[in-house]
Amino acid sequence: MILRRPGGFRRDPLVTARVRAVARVAGVLAFLATPALAQSFLGTGPAERLTLPPAGEPLRPAPQKPPAPEADPARRGVPLTAAVAAARRFPADTRGYRLAGEEDALPFPVYLTEAQARGQTKLRVSYLSAISVAPEASELSGSVNGTKVGWTRIQAPGAVKVVEFPLPEGLLKPGYNAVVLAASQRHRVDCSTGATYELWTQIDPSRSGLVVAQAGDLDLKSLAALEPDESGALPVAVLLAERPSPERLERMIGAVQAVALVGRLARPAVTFGAPLMGRAGLNLLVGTAAEIRGTEGVEELGPITGPRVALLAPRGSRAPVLVVTGASAADIRQAVQTLAAAGDTGGTPAGARAAELARGYPVRGGESLTLDQLGVTSREFNGRLLRVGFEVRFPADFVPADYGKAMLHLAGGYAAGLESSAQIVVDINGRNAASVPLPYSRGEVFTDSAIPLPLSLWRPGLNRVEISAQLPTAADRTCDTLAPGARRARFLFLDRTRLDLPALARAVRSPDLAAVKAGAVPFLTPDPAAQGPRPRLVLPTPDRDSTSAAATLAARLALAAGRVIDFEIGSDDRAAGGGARLVVAPVRALTPAALDSVGLDPGQVRSIWEGRAETVATPGPFGAEGVVTLDRLRRNLPMRCALPAFTTPLRTAAPAPVATPVSVQAPPAQPQAPAGAPDDSDADLVARWDDSARGAIVPAVLANAWKALARWTGEARDLGSRAMGGPAPEAVPLNPRASLIVAQGTGQGEGGGLAETTVLVTAPNASMLRASVSCLVDPVVWTGLSGQAAFLDASDGSLTTVQPKSVGLVETQSRGLANLRLVAAAWLSLNPGAYVAMTLLMALCLGLATTSLVRQLGRRNS
């Protein structure tokens, strides 16, 4: 009710209260009717499916209030609102697709043909960021061949954002081009050093890339321009209409390896069967003229009288077809070798360098490398944690042990005002190698600060070194980002910093999967002139899934070796003769002897995989599930590492006693106290602290010495048992969550050495074998292979490795005093028991010799 009064109106308080209550109820109902998107600070919650709309539809609606135009539109990324054109996606590499920390960069070498480099081109970036990233102080930029083409504020915490940067005419060149995505990120509310680990920007590989025309002028030299799929892998479909003979299958797998070499495929994905459709991938047709007769398009080649390699242009939606043929099997082998040598390494200087550094800078030992050679540039840094990384590739027959040190000579400086906790930390392959404090509060400029790095932390193949400068100041406690000194440079890093490597011991550790992934040892010895039997690729059940997995592995190994591996295909792993064996099969097709030969317990393997044997896994563009989700992007999972949920509960075998070191490439779970365990009493706590404070130093030393002596005795007994032909003393401890097992066993035959080595790759069934191998060859996962056995959980790409109890060294170089001395020192560092025994023996001999000499001197007292 409204009461009229002179000079205005007055509302009834009762009516006003009722109106407000109705408004509140209406607001609550409207809020409940709106679908909510779950989101937390860490980015967890229900998975949201992302789908790319068909061509011609906008990716997101245009904003209602467009922002004011800028003076230079090319300097800022423009949200994509026009028609969605196909992009030439970035290839997968060892860094993945995440920009982490306060400053980070991802380089991508992209090969283009002349037709692709012409016309209007763009750089498209699709990304998702952490909610902790402050958009007003963070930016994402893109550069092509050293030229910055645009930047945008980082602001995509809840949904994927797509921006495009137009490229100047003529910037792209035929051949390799260097595309670099860089991020400068700052935290919203926290200025501590620990908060920098919460900063990340995830690139979505399915929508990011260069918007260029399709490669209509593709030829044999430009096969590196083949477009990868949404996960960064290059699909290769081997056309097959009938079951091939083992001899033809050998030629097919050889041709797949040649394609991987000429295209520099860090991530092959091989299938057998129907041809591929769309822009991504390549169809491969291998066979004699009689075997491929009748295939569509082959008539264009004309008469085939000798080795022939030809590329058939796309027809309709079918991907291009590469034909490897000849009049005979010998002609096809020659055609494969011709194909493997047909690659082109041209392009811009920055692109060719990025392509070379993508595999790591190759070293042989004894070099002195500046970080400028390794792709690192000088920079000033104003944040809290600077991280500089580079990658070097060691020989496959490098022996990692404590017989020498690599020296890192830092050049740079730091500003005044840093806290006493400021330091430089060097990590090698994720393990801390050294730390150096920055002690002077007045600051310092240094030109040669030497940091020793032990050789035991390096490994054959790719090694990543990260130099982190932790630079806290007193102003970080107040966290005033608008203060005048907030952007003052705190650290100077110079590319004059150099890495000095000593001479390396050259021998192959056996067993060690690191040598397998680094140089395809033992299937291809590091010495190209060495002659020996052909390695065997054993396929007990040569179905399409198992054969696809084997071909994918062969392509990845050929890329590691740098040449085609001449595999002999067989179905019986017990067949005599031949060289080293690569066995690829589901576990049901393996004999107990095959599992025993690599140290696995057959009963335990079948027990943990009994419930998963009937699970079907089909690898799609983004793994078995075929889609990418926000949850997977937030967790930074490899796109092809995905398996369907298991409806059958896993049957976990009784845990075996772990007697060998185990390393896991995933964050370990925090230990928890057993349920129902009584709490320690005050007396127990006091007694425990009293013992540790007074000590038990001498008893602990004696106990450790006794354990070491018992371990050495057990190792000697095991060596003696194996020398007499006895069985392995203990099986390798298994990971019940594994969907794939890769294990290596040493030879027991008369030849011994590398020629008798067996590498086994197995999974619960054939479909899971193919899906898990597709995850294994991801560069991020592949670089983690090491030890005697590796267990892969293909649902997230986590890899668990088991180190052998003892290793042997197999010579790969011609005998020389220098290398023999290094190998002997490495062997002694790997076998401390033998070193102690030799030291005691030498001391005993010295004592006996001294006693014998002293007895002959002086005058006896009568």
Side-chain angles (χ1 to χ4, degrees), residues 95 371 374-376 379 387-391 464-467:
R95 294 283 311 280
L371 264 60
L374 304 177
V376 179
R379 60 200 294 192
R387 292 190 291 188
V388 176
F390 58 90
E391 294 176 334
R464 178 160 183 85
V465 181
E466 285 197 353
I467 306 171

Side-chain angles (χ1 to χ4, degrees), residues 555-592:
R556 195 63 182 86
L557 291 173
L559 192 65
R563 53 188 184 272
V564 175
I565 305 174
D566 187 17
F567 279 113
E568 177 187 0
I569 305 296
S571 59
D572 188 1
D573 62 318
R574 295 167 294 183
R581 296 174 295 179
L582 173 62
V583 183
V584 182
V587 69
R588 288 183 174 180
L590 298 175
T591 62

Side-chain angles (χ1 to χ4, degrees), residues 4 33 71 128 220 279 351 353 357 367 436 540 563 581 642 697 721 724 727 858:
R4 181 181 299 271
L128 180 73
L220 296 180
R279 290 182 50 162
R353 188 183 186 190
L357 293 177
E367 298 101 329
V436 178
R563 53 188 184 272
R581 296 174 295 179
I697 297 180
S721 175
M724 298 296 294

Side-chain angles (χ1 to χ4, degrees), residues 368-646:
S368 180
L369 307 171
T370 63
L371 264 60
D372 176 62
Q373 296 175 261
L374 304 177
V376 179
T377 59
S378 299
R379 60 200 294 192
E380 288 183 302
F381 180 70
N382 61 3
R384 285 88 184 167
L385 179 62
L386 170 66
R387 292 190 291 188
V388 176
F390 58 90
E391 294 176 334
V392 292
R393 189 172 77 251
F394 275 54
D397 57 346
F398 158 68
V399 183
D402 288 323
Y403 58 90
K405 295 182 183 295
M407 299 300 297
L408 181 65
H409 299 270
L410 288 176
Y414 57 95
L418 299 184
E419 292 192 339
S420 58
S421 60
Q423 62 176 343
I424 295 177
V425 179
V426 182
D427 293 334
I428 301 177
N429 298 321
R431 299 175 60 186
N432 181 257
S435 58
V436 178
L438 304 177
Y440 302 113
S441 59
R442 65 179 183 277
E444 182 186 10
V445 175
F446 45 85
T447 58
D448 191 358
S449 179
I451 302 177
L453 307 175
L455 286 180
S456 59
L457 295 181
W458 307 79
R459 61 192 179 197
L462 196 68
N463 295 264
R464 178 160 183 85
V465 181
E466 285 197 353
I467 306 171
S468 304
Q470 301 176 7
L471 311 167
T473 63
D476 293 340
R477 301 174 185 174
T478 58
C479 199
D480 185 4
T481 57
L482 300 180
R487 293 190 175 274
R488 183 173 61 91
R490 303 187 184 188
F491 196 83
L492 171 65
F493 188 88
L494 299 177
D495 57 10
R496 297 200 306 266
T497 298
R498 73 179 192 274
L499 177 68
D500 292 343
L501 295 173
L504 305 177
R506 304 295 295 275
V508 173
R509 287 169 39 119
S510 181
D512 189 6
L513 293 174
V516 177
K517 58 93 177 176
V521 178
F523 312 111
L524 200 63
T525 58
D527 184 8
Q531 299 294 329
R534 294 175 61 191
R536 301 187 68 227
L537 177 56
V538 181
L539 296 170
T541 55
D543 54 81
R544 291 194 177 186
D545 286 338
S546 300
T547 307
S548 299
T552 301
L553 282 173
R556 195 63 182 86
L557 291 173
L559 192 65
R563 53 188 184 272
V564 175
I565 305 174
D566 187 17
F567 279 113
E568 177 187 0
I569 305 296
S571 59
D572 188 1
D573 62 318
R574 295 167 294 183
R581 296 174 295 179
L582 173 62
V583 183
V584 182
V587 69
R588 288 183 174 180
L590 298 175
T591 62
L595 296 172
D596 280 329
S597 65
V598 293
L600 300 176
D601 184 356
Q604 193 176 19
V605 172
R606 288 191 170 92
S607 177
I608 65 172
W609 278 351
E610 184 177 354
R612 309 173 83 166
E614 303 302 330
T615 305
V616 177
T618 304
F622 299 97
E625 297 179 356
V627 293
V628 62
T629 63
L630 285 180
D631 182 64
R632 292 182 61 83
L633 287 175
R634 290 189 180 107
R635 295 167 61 193
N636 192 25
L637 298 180
M639 291 303 176
R640 280 187 173 258
C641 293
L643 292 176
F646 300 110

Side-chain angles (χ1 to χ4, degrees), residues 552-821:
T552 301
L553 282 173
R556 195 63 182 86
L557 291 173
L559 192 65
R563 53 188 184 272
V564 175
I565 305 174
D566 187 17
F567 279 113
E568 177 187 0
I569 305 296
S571 59
D572 188 1
D573 62 318
R574 295 167 294 183
R581 296 174 295 179
L582 173 62
V583 183
V584 182
V587 69
R588 288 183 174 180
L590 298 175
T591 62
L595 296 172
D596 280 329
S597 65
V598 293
L600 300 176
D601 184 356
Q604 193 176 19
V605 172
R606 288 191 170 92
S607 177
I608 65 172
W609 278 351
E610 184 177 354
R612 309 173 83 166
E614 303 302 330
T615 305
V616 177
T618 304
F622 299 97
E625 297 179 356
V627 293
V628 62
T629 63
L630 285 180
D631 182 64
R632 292 182 61 83
L633 287 175
R634 290 189 180 107
R635 295 167 61 193
N636 192 25
L637 298 180
M639 291 303 176
R640 280 187 173 258
C641 293
L643 292 176
F646 300 110
T647 56
T648 306
L650 297 179
R651 178 178 298 181
T652 304
V658 179
T660 55
V662 179
S663 61
V664 185
Q665 278 191 234
Q670 296 293 332
Q672 298 180 356
D679 297 334
D680 292 335
S681 63
D682 292 344
D684 294 335
L685 293 175
V686 171
R688 186 191 309 165
W689 278 81
D690 186 61
D691 290 342
S692 62
R694 283 195 244 184
I697 297 180
V698 174
V701 170
L702 294 177
N704 292 335
W706 174 257
K707 291 179 181 179
L709 181 60
R711 185 176 67 253
W712 296 335
T713 304
E715 291 178 359
R717 182 178 64 251
D718 297 342
L719 288 174
S721 175
R722 285 196 292 269
M724 298 296 294
E730 282 187 9
V732 174
L734 302 181
N735 181 2
R737 296 297 308 176
S739 62
L740 184 79
I741 297 178
V742 185
Q744 181 180 0
T746 54
Q748 302 291 336
E750 297 179 0
L754 297 177
E756 297 292 333
T757 304
T758 299
V759 177
L760 176 67
V761 181
T762 185
N765 54 47
S767 65
M768 194 171 293
L769 176 65
R770 175 186 166 194
S772 298
V773 167
S774 180
C775 172
L776 176 67
V777 298
D778 185 279
V780 177
V781 181
W782 181 260
T783 54
L785 276 179
S786 65
Q788 180 183 359
F791 303 92
L792 173 67
D793 184 358
S795 62
D796 57 8
S798 60
L799 194 68
T800 305
T801 60
V802 177
Q803 301 301 324
K805 295 175 60 178
S806 61
V807 296
L809 299 180
V810 182
E811 291 180 294
T812 58
Q813 306 290 320
S814 57
R815 292 195 176 182
L817 182 59
N819 188 58
L820 182 62
R821 178 184 63 84

